Amino acid sequence: MSDTCAALPIVVLISGSGTNLQAIIDAARSGELPVDICAVISNRPAAAGLDRARAAGIQAEALDHREFDGREDFDRALAERIDAHAPALVVLAGFMRILTPGFVRHYHGRLLNIHPSLLPDFRGLNTHARVIEAGVDCHGASVHFVADELDGGPVVLQVEVPVHAGDTVETLAARVLEQEHRLYPLAIRWFAEGRLQLQNGTAILDGKPLNAPCLLDADTGALKRCP
Ligand code: GRF
């Protein structure tokens, strides 16, 4: 990534394969996402997403949470690493750690997450298995600002994904992930363009409060609803 461009500086936090990171890298490279990815940081040194970052010429850093005494210590060290890059936005892309309230407060209004469910339904882990178990026929993904409550901050953008008879966790996860790769770059783009903010606990898009999340059409990739 160029460090001379006027794009929004971001840091991406990952724990795993980093396919959402790849979607962000690809969108930035193609010019449709005006961000400069200053660094990718993983709490798991073996995360494949770090290789994706390196392959794209982005600084890749590991900060192993197992080397810290507790969440507070780890989050403090993580914030130091992040702040060394002075990002305007911190993007959680499959970062599988519960964050301390101090960390969340520090990045208030500039911390986004993607979660594989239609929030507020199915917060927490193993969403695809729980969706299949519950027998619901509509699943999806959500991008939200991070607040104190786990997966509980204001939701900005969602996409609905059908659950098919005979779906396994793998087939359903793959269908959702494909949509996540569209969803996240779009929400980040809104933030980078100054169209999206968090004000008094409410997500604001183009100056208007998002009383309900915007909804992307899974078939066309166009916005289906945006209050
Ligand atoms: C995604 O499903 C994301 O919603 C969740 O973790 C997964 C990360 O996948 N938070 P990847 O590492 O981006 O491939």
Side-chain angles (χ1 to χ4, degrees):
M1 299 282 116
S2 148
D3 46 27
T4 53
C5 60
L8 189 87
I10 70 170
V11 166
V12 183
L13 305 186
I14 62 162
S15 298
S17 66
T19 64
N20 276 289
L21 165 69
Q22 190 67 58
I24 296 164
I25 291 172
D26 293 346
R29 279 199 162 158
S30 75
E32 74 195 54
L33 180 58
V35 299
D36 185 5
I37 308 172
C38 310
V40 172
I41 306 176
S42 172
N43 66 305
R44 296 206 179 112
L50 288 175
D51 294 329
R52 293 178 188 275
R54 285 184 202 109
I58 298 166
Q59 187 162 330
E61 305 176 20
L63 189 66
D64 192 339
H65 63 276
R66 293 168 303 188
E67 290 172 4
F68 291 83
D69 277 342
R71 283 191 195 284
E72 301 281 346
D73 281 0
F74 174 72
D75 278 9
R76 237 189 318 271
L78 179 60
E80 263 177 41
R81 287 278 194 102
I82 295 169
D83 291 349
H85 301 283
L89 177 68
V90 177
V91 172
L92 305 178
F95 186 65
M96 305 306 282
R97 295 278 305 166
I98 292 175
L99 297 164
T100 54
F103 185 95
V104 171
R105 219 175 303 123
H106 183 66
Y107 295 103
H108 181 79
R110 53 188 181 115
L111 187 56
L112 286 177
N113 184 40
I114 188 157
H115 181 76
S117 82
L118 293 172
L119 290 172
D121 296 341
F122 299 100
R123 293 177 180 177
L125 295 174
N126 305 320
T127 59
H128 310 302
R130 286 158 55 215
V131 160
I132 291 173
E133 173 74 24
V136 298
D137 57 9
C138 187
H139 185 29
S142 308
V143 176
H144 65 97
F145 279 106
V146 176
D148 268 352
E149 203 183 339
L150 182 69
D151 301 324
V155 181
V156 173
L157 182 60
Q158 293 184 317
V159 63
E160 293 173 346
V161 174
V163 183
H164 297 160
D167 256 338
T168 61
V169 167
E170 289 72 28
T171 57
L172 184 55
R175 196 175 311 120
V176 173
L177 205 51
E178 192 185 335
Q179 295 298 330
E180 290 185 36
H181 299 159
R182 272 179 173 164
L183 202 68
Y184 217 1
L186 177 59
I188 295 168
R189 180 169 143 198
W190 288 346
F191 189 95
E193 291 174 343
R195 297 174 56 192
L196 176 67
Q197 298 99 25
L198 183 67
Q199 276 174 24
N200 304 320
T202 302
I204 308 284
L205 182 67
D206 294 333
K208 291 186 216 116
L210 286 178
N211 299 320
C214 297
L215 188 65
L216 202 69
D217 188 315
D219 294 325
T220 64
L223 271 181
K224 201 154 126 175
R225 180 192 72 208
C226 208

